[in-house]
Amino acid sequence: MRAEVLVKKALPDSLTPQRLVELYRTMLLIRHFEEQCAPAYRQGKMGGYMHVYIGQEAVATGFIAHLRDDDYMLCSYRDHGHAIARGTDPRRIMAELFGRYTGVAKGKGGSMHLVDVERGFLGGYGIVGGMVPLAVGVGYGIRYRGTDQVCLCFFGDGAMNIGPVHEALNMATIYKVPVVFICENNRYAMATPVEFASAVPSLAERAKQYGMPTRQIGGMDLLEVYREAEEIIRHVRTTPEPFFVEVLTYRFEGHGIADNPTNQALYRTKEEVEYWRQRDPIVNTARFLLENGFATENELLEWDAHAKQQALEAVAYADASPEPPLEELYRDVYTDMEVQEWR
Amino acid sequence: MAVITYREALRQALTEEMERDPGVFILGEEVGRYQGTFRVTEGLLQRFGEMRVVDTPISESGIAGMAIGAAMIGLRPVAEFMTFSFALIAADQLVNHAAKILYMFGGQIAVPVVFRGPAGGGAQLSAQHSHSLESWYAHIPGLKVVTPATPADAKGMLKTAIRDNNPVIFMEHAKLYSTRGEVPQGEYTVPFGVADIKREGRDVTIIAYSQPVLLALHAAQKLAETEGIECEVIDLRSLQPLDMDTVLRSIHKTHRAVVVHEDHRNVGFGAEVVARIQELAFDELDAPVLRVASADVPIPYARNLERAAFPSEEDIIRAVKRVLA
């Protein structure tokens, strides 16, 4: 039984039961937030592409838990969970998804381009692997200034097959940038399995060739992610050198909103999904909290209800928010220059 | 005024800006130990050290992305492409990242980065090393595109580019590096979006930018001497932002125009200039506006074929005579 294995694990020294509960509740909030997305999408309240993080919550939560306020992070378009884990107001995230003016990017980026500059979240990016070279630049900037900040760069297994990522990993080692490259291997790049797309099945093995420390870790157990992330981020902050970590995880839902169960049947079985659902990081963490006496059944129910309430409030907030005014169309193209309106 | 080369003018701009602002740094292939493929960055590694003059592997996407990332947290990188033909490899970084980050994040992250290097051809570099493609960049909202033709403009505009808070595509031309010209001494900058009348005239307006400005000036000189035709030569200098006012004022005077560039004619930047002229000054025109540009073929190697592919002084003279006919 997975749960028994978990119970035997001790809490890492730095993780108080109280902090663990906080992280658990972050995962709950991500889950509930994501669960509100599909219905809102179907009601036409959002458009475009929409990729949810259900199943992968432990990864962003376990890594981002170790960031200082002045650290940086970038991630892919599957970015709702990362923003929530970093502490961005879920109401403003939902408003962004709804294309509203109160959104984190004034409604101009949408689901794939969340951002929170105050918290060093330098954005979600829609081109697979495109932000990995940017992370090298952020890391170079940190070295240039001589601070001990770090930059986390989250991307998927699909990104390991695009050229610029490999240019970036190579350069990361050349310039010794304090960047943690976090490859969230959820087994599929859209519908293409890792075993098909990668000549070498272990992505950590591939990254090893770039002369940086690499590690492959499990991504379904919050405690494991937390413990590994703590060590990795401490290493990168103090060495400094980059680190590549492949996190084995799974998305319970489709790639995006259009990847419905019929489409999913083309590339994965129900049994496979069920196998991973048995490893749900939220269920497992709840069990751990209960069995170690860190939480009661009632508390778990209460936290769950609270997270759901927060997600519903986010939807209500987004719904009540205004659309961006039309003048926004021409704003922010340049910092200092008006774009000519030709109509 | 001192007479220096275009290359020296660029180097002065880099040096002065690096001295003025500790956040300015250079990265690119062969910019440091090798002193720059075209020697623009000569001596800078020795002067500023390897943190600020960064040699890179041959990784254009990596170079561009690294520059953008550093710019996003407030540094002012100047990335050199060995040629703009190689920038094609970094197109995703320039178009999907540098140009979009300010807008898609709601105006919260600026990208003060300069991408510079030689564009164009003319040295028998054949099909893969002779691209101009400024119209590709000018097509992308979020990028500024400048194409200085003289040492004075090169220096003043590179300083402006480095201080700009937006991504700037700074296109030089390999054939310009050794050209000489007067450059003001001391601190000065040349603003973007202000075209420069390089020669005044009353008969025909020739609109050009980058190296073809020199071609246009030669053609204008010849036309004046041999035919008594007085051409006004306008150097656009900056394509985005584009100064149409100067162009239109000239057309109000001459009523005839020829646009010259080295990029291909088909969907080249000249098409945009011509479109705007007819939208804004149709009634002023006494003749169709003509374009002089490269043939719409890959650039060939053989000297005679290459010469035939690029716009020439004679092409400009012929076009001027046609709009006057």
Side-chain angles (χ1 to χ4, degrees):
Chain A
M1 279 290 287
R2 184 78 175 167
E4 285 171 34
V5 175
L6 280 180
V7 173
K8 282 177 197 150
K9 287 182 187 167
L11 279 184
D13 290 342
S14 64
L15 188 58
T16 60
Q18 197 183 358
R19 178 77 174 127
L20 177 60
V21 166
E22 276 173 31
L23 298 179
Y24 171 71
R25 295 183 71 179
T26 298
M27 295 203 300
L28 271 181
L29 179 56
I30 296 173
R31 179 69 56 93
H32 280 292
F33 183 96
E34 298 292 50
E35 283 177 347
Q36 291 304 319
C37 288
Y41 194 97
R42 280 189 213 101
Q43 289 167 36
K45 291 182 190 293
M46 11 174 141
Y49 294 137
M50 207 269 294
H51 315 84
V52 298
Y53 200 56
I54 294 175
Q56 300 181 222
E57 293 92 343
V59 186
T61 306
F63 271 92
I64 293 168
H66 300 287
L67 289 189
R68 290 194 322 223
D69 288 349
D70 63 342
D71 288 329
Y72 296 107
M73 64 181 221
L74 303 91
C75 65
S76 76
Y77 47 82
R78 195 180 301 283
D79 55 358
H80 311 167
H82 302 77
I84 291 171
R86 190 59 171 142
T88 304
D89 183 348
R91 297 177 309 163
R92 294 197 59 211
I93 302 173
M94 193 63 86
E96 187 61 34
L97 271 53
F98 277 45
R100 301 304 167 96
Y101 200 38
T102 53
V104 292
K106 298 194 282 188
K108 293 166 92 166
S111 163
M112 296 190 286
H113 305 305
L114 300 178
V115 66
D116 189 339
V117 177
E118 272 173 43
R119 291 176 176 78
F121 174 29
L122 299 177
Y125 293 81
I127 306 296
V128 170
M131 67 294 179
V132 182
L134 304 186
V136 176
V138 172
Y140 192 80
I142 293 170
R143 265 202 64 204
Y144 196 92
R145 289 178 169 149
T147 64
D148 68 344
Q149 294 158 287
V150 300
C151 176
L152 304 187
C153 180
F154 295 90
F155 50 94
D157 46 282
M160 281 305 281
N161 300 316
I162 194 157
V165 168
H166 295 270
E167 294 187 11
L169 293 175
N170 183 50
M171 291 168 83
T173 300
I174 291 176
Y175 303 118
K176 305 228 174 313
V177 295
V179 177
V180 185
F181 298 99
I182 302 157
C183 180
E184 298 190 56
N185 179 355
N186 66 15
R187 307 193 54 74
Y188 298 95
M190 264 186 79
T192 304
V194 170
E195 305 83 61
F196 172 84
S198 179
V200 177
S202 162
L203 303 178
E205 197 60 34
R206 283 174 75 186
K208 220 172 245 172
Q209 308 311 316
Y210 294 112
M212 67 181 82
T214 65
R215 198 173 285 185
Q216 188 185 62
I217 69 170
M220 304 307 280
D221 172 0
L222 177 65
L223 288 177
E224 180 180 354
V225 176
Y226 182 92
R227 189 181 300 109
E228 295 281 355
E230 180 174 39
E231 207 178 298
I232 290 167
I233 291 171
R234 187 189 301 127
H235 177 84
V236 166
R237 199 186 293 287
T238 52
T239 308
E241 67 176 340
F243 205 114
F244 183 99
V245 53
E246 176 186 8
V247 190
L248 301 176
T249 180
Y250 200 76
R251 63 169 155 76
F252 297 168
E253 302 294 323
H255 163 73
I257 191 82
D259 187 21
N260 57 36
T262 313
N263 288 339
Q264 287 177 51
L266 297 170
Y267 66 90
R268 63 182 187 182
T269 62
K270 280 183 184 147
E271 291 72 30
E272 181 187 297
V273 178
E274 192 45 41
Y275 172 89
W276 285 93
R277 279 191 183 274
Q278 290 304 313
R279 282 145 187 81
D280 187 323
I282 291 176
V283 175
N284 281 334
T285 309
R287 211 174 290 159
F288 179 85
L289 289 170
L290 268 183
E291 293 181 5
N292 285 276
F294 298 145
T296 64
E297 286 278 6
N298 271 343
E299 280 172 324
L300 290 180
L301 288 172
E302 193 185 305
W303 296 334
D304 187 67
H306 184 258
K308 184 169 186 180
Q309 186 55 34
Q310 276 182 286
L312 290 171
E313 275 170 21
V315 170
Y317 175 85
D319 235 348
S321 291
E323 292 180 316
L326 279 178
E327 302 90 80
E328 277 297 327
L329 179 62
Y330 291 98
R331 279 188 197 140
D332 307 324
V333 183
Y334 299 95
T335 58
D336 56 353
M337 201 169 95
E338 292 299 313
V339 171
Q340 228 178 357
E341 200 180 323
W342 55 262
R343 279 190 184 84
Chain B
M1 290 276 193
V3 175
I4 60 172
T5 62
Y6 190 94
R7 170 187 291 111
E8 286 162 342
L10 293 168
R11 192 185 305 134
Q12 279 186 8
L14 290 169
T15 308
E16 289 174 19
E17 291 307 296
M18 288 177 82
E19 275 173 351
R20 187 186 60 79
D21 181 349
V24 177
F25 74 98
I26 294 170
L27 71 166
E29 296 155 10
E30 317 293 5
V31 296
R33 279 180 288 273
Y34 192 65
Q35 310 293 308
T37 304
F38 292 90
R39 294 291 179 270
V40 171
T41 54
E42 191 171 57
L44 297 186
L45 172 65
Q46 289 74 4
R47 187 160 182 162
F48 295 104
E50 63 182 22
M51 202 67 207
R52 298 186 71 191
V53 181
V54 186
D55 277 318
T56 66
I58 303 174
S59 302
E60 277 78 10
S61 294
I63 295 165
M66 180 170 155
I68 295 164
M72 288 168 70
I73 61 167
L75 297 183
R76 292 191 174 268
V78 181
E80 175 174 310
F81 288 123
M82 195 179 286
T83 92
F84 263 97
S85 293
F86 306 158
L88 291 175
I89 302 159
D92 175 62
Q93 287 299 329
L94 303 184
V95 174
N96 262 324
H97 295 85
K100 302 297 192 286
I101 283 170
L102 181 70
Y103 194 86
M104 75 184 187
F105 296 135
Q108 298 173 91
I109 304 180
V111 186
V113 59
V114 179
F115 296 103
R116 55 156 290 274
Q124 283 190 280
L125 297 170
S126 75
Q128 296 187 321
H129 285 66
S130 300
H131 292 296
S132 294
L133 301 182
E134 59 276 5
S135 62
W136 287 24
Y137 300 109
H139 183 67
I140 304 300
L143 299 178
K144 294 187 180 181
V145 184
V146 300
T147 53
T150 65
D153 288 343
K155 180 174 177 183
M157 294 180 87
L158 185 51
K159 287 167 76 86
T160 301
I162 291 169
R163 297 177 194 188
D164 201 291
N165 285 326
N166 300 277
V168 178
I169 305 291
F170 191 96
M171 297 178 115
E172 299 153 15
H173 195 297
K175 282 165 83 177
L176 289 174
Y177 285 131
S178 297
T179 58
R180 303 174 75 80
E182 288 192 336
V183 171
Q185 261 149 350
E187 165 69 16
Y188 80 99
T189 57
V190 174
F192 292 170
V194 182
D196 186 39
I197 300 170
K198 291 280 196 278
R199 179 189 175 107
E200 291 201 20
R202 58 176 189 270
D203 298 326
V204 176
T205 302
I206 304 178
I207 301 147
Y209 55 87
S210 191
Q211 198 274 340
V213 170
L214 306 190
L215 272 186
L217 287 169
H218 286 139
Q221 183 68 25
K222 204 173 276 181
L223 282 162
E225 284 167 5
T226 60
E227 317 270 343
I229 298 168
E230 290 298 335
C231 294
E232 179 141 296
V233 178
I234 295 181
D235 177 0
L236 291 176
R237 300 200 288 197
S238 133
L239 308 185
Q240 175 66 290
L242 176 63
D243 172 13
M244 280 308 291
D245 292 344
T246 301
V247 172
L248 294 173
R249 268 198 302 277
S250 181
I251 283 168
H252 279 261
K253 179 166 70 173
T254 62
H255 310 289
R256 291 173 168 84
V258 171
V259 187
V260 187
H261 56 61
E262 190 183 298
D263 201 1
H264 302 294
R265 192 178 90 133
N266 188 37
V267 206
F269 194 75
E272 179 64 28
V273 176
V274 173
R276 294 209 198 182
I277 291 172
Q278 65 84 21
E279 279 169 9
L280 300 166
F282 183 75
D283 292 334
E284 291 295 325
L285 292 173
D286 286 344
V289 181
L290 295 184
R291 287 171 288 166
V292 174
S294 279
D296 294 320
V297 299
I299 303 304
Y301 169 73
R303 187 168 289 146
N304 65 324
L305 294 181
E306 187 196 45
R307 198 175 294 145
F310 283 129
S312 67
E313 223 174 283
E314 294 70 43
D315 292 333
I316 299 171
I317 290 171
R318 210 165 21 244
V320 167
K321 287 183 177 171
R322 267 182 64 196
V323 299
L324 280 165

